[in-house]
Amino acid sequence: MPGIRLIERARGAGDAPAVASGGERHSYADLLRASAGVAGTLLDGAEDLKETRVAFLIPAGLEYAAALWGVWRAGGIAVPLSLGAAAPELEHVVTDAGVRAVLASRPLRGRIEPLCRRLGVRLLCVEDTLGTETSALPRVASERPAMILYTSGTTSKPKGVVTTHANIEAQITSLVEAWGWREDDHIPLFLPLHHVHGIVNVLGCALWSGAFVEAFESFHLERILERVGEKVYTLFMAVPTIYVKLIQALESAAPEERQRWVEGFAAMRLMVSGSAALPASVHERWTALTGQKLLERYGMTEIGMGLSNPLHGERRPGAVGQPLPGVEVRLVTESGDVVGGEDQPGEIQVRGPAVFREYWNQPEVTKTSFVDGWFRTGDMAVLERGYYRILGRLSVDIIKSGGHKLSALEIEDVVRQHPAVAECAVVGLADATWGEIVAVAVVAEKGTDLDLPGLQAWAGERLSRDKIPRRLLVVPDFPRNAMGKVVKPAVRELFE
Ligand code: MCA
Ligand code: AMP
């Protein structure tokens, strides 16, 4: 019975550096010890957590990795929380997943304490668990559920995507093979750790490979560039918005500083972009500035990574390459026919061991998301000269902003509660930095005033930063079809 191979492999890495955080380097042995402490504390004498959901609110660093591995080693299901979530968003995840215990870093404890108290959920400071002596830990089979990540979709509230240890291992090993991960790799980690991009592509692949992760508590541009200039990194993984911000920083830097940063980027063996479309212009500008050809890939919370440009060979701007090892991909037309050749668009459907098990507590939604064992991504693509190109999404209600997937319906449900809002329609508008930004058209209640700063302040209490409306238009009514239904593409045009 295979256990959690990611963790078993770490024993072989011993004193090699695993994670740098808080100004210190922590070895694989440190991580094993710290995660055993977390596991022992959670178990508290029990043999196995038996899939108890344990959430955590911890920035990137040793404590985060120890919490993730500790929950797994105790037989629990890890539920990483967004550090940027507003109180109602945290409550949704904690209640929907039926979380029984929360691990928080000491500085963040106060943010979740009232919720835990109200719901009767056990709250622990992760720092207090790391040194705990641990007796026997259970053997956790790879088929058991390991993690629930919340993702927005075409339903209002985010859904929990359940992956097993075997799913996560398949997601990791596919990338390790395709991108040639090595034990001497050194990568900065600045992406949020409640998404696959940060958890699997960066942290998971690095720890699987015996490589070294340098953790930043958030995307701190200056500090990251400083380290890039020291030529310490071999790998870099980011979303398109980050490359846009890096281009702006390089272009506005003094010549000497810029030269240092450019040399640091040029020295890396691989730079990857994903989570949202990388405009060909950004791809080309990055190459012109640094000499690096970005490798663009396509993925989704439910499948891990699906398509990728190659490590060796043509990295084509505007395209996402070919299926990754172990991933089967097909395109299916609206009428349900499987596309046989090139130049015909279809929905991307994916099959393979990396594909998630189910949506948490949503058997019906899970069922309708698969057709004959293939997962329906809701993304459209076309195969051109051997490479897939993403065309967009089937639903207008999915917005991608700064690499975050947002549901227009979820934002509408919140904005509608504002006392000055009679009706609202949320759309994504194209934006050079963020990919898309959230825009809201509102029919106001009679006799009320509504302005953008006021709405933003109000929304900031209820929604995370990426979901806050960046544009507001007050309209007498929305464009509607014959059935009276709001026509979103026409709403988008109102902003032009
Ligand atoms: C923040 N701001 C925004 C947005 N977010 N404005 C418009 N749209 C937004 N989405 C504003 C803030 O209000 C603030 O304005 C200013 O920008 C700076 O905000 P801050 O939060 O500090 O920004 P940042 O730290 O620079 O963050 C940008 C970021 C972050 C680093 C790009 O959004 C990020 O880490 N994104 C990555 C998400 C990710 O990992 N996605 C993977 C999921 P002011 O200055 O006026 O206050 S997808 C996935 O996992 C699948 C499997 C896949 O394929 O990878
Ligand atoms: P998430 O559910 O947050 O994991 O986001 C997954 C979605 O991000 C996919 O369904 C796509 O719509 C989008 N996405 C990821 N990578 C790319 C890419 N390289 N190009 C275009 N869209 C992408």
Side-chain angles (χ1 to χ4, degrees), residues 151 275-277 296-301 320 379 393 400 405:
T151 187
S275 300
E296 185 175 6
R297 57 57 180 183
Y298 159 87
M300 193 173 182
T301 306
V320 290
D379 290 307
R393 288 173 296 270
K400 262 269 157 163
K405 186 179 186 188

Side-chain angles (χ1 to χ4, degrees), residues 418 451-463 468-469:
H418 189 287
D451 59 21
L452 185 60
L455 178 65
Q456 287 180 327
W458 181 89
E461 304 278 308
R462 295 156 177 87
L463 294 167
I468 293 171

Side-chain angles (χ1 to χ4, degrees), residues 149-153 161 194-197 240 273-278 295-305 307 309 318-320 348 375 377-380 389-394 398-400 403-406:
L149 296 181
Y150 276 77
T151 187
S152 299
V161 173
H194 60 291
H195 289 308
V196 163
H197 198 161
S273 174
S275 300
L278 178 72
L295 179 153
E296 185 175 6
R297 57 57 180 183
Y298 159 87
M300 193 173 182
T301 306
E302 288 87 337
I303 64 162
M305 296 304 109
L307 297 160
N309 276 278
V320 290
I348 304 174
F375 174 65
T377 63
D379 290 307
M380 295 291 291
R389 183 163 65 84
I390 309 291
L391 297 171
R393 288 173 296 270
L394 280 170
I398 305 273
I399 299 169
K400 262 269 157 163
H404 298 276
K405 186 179 186 188
L406 315 175

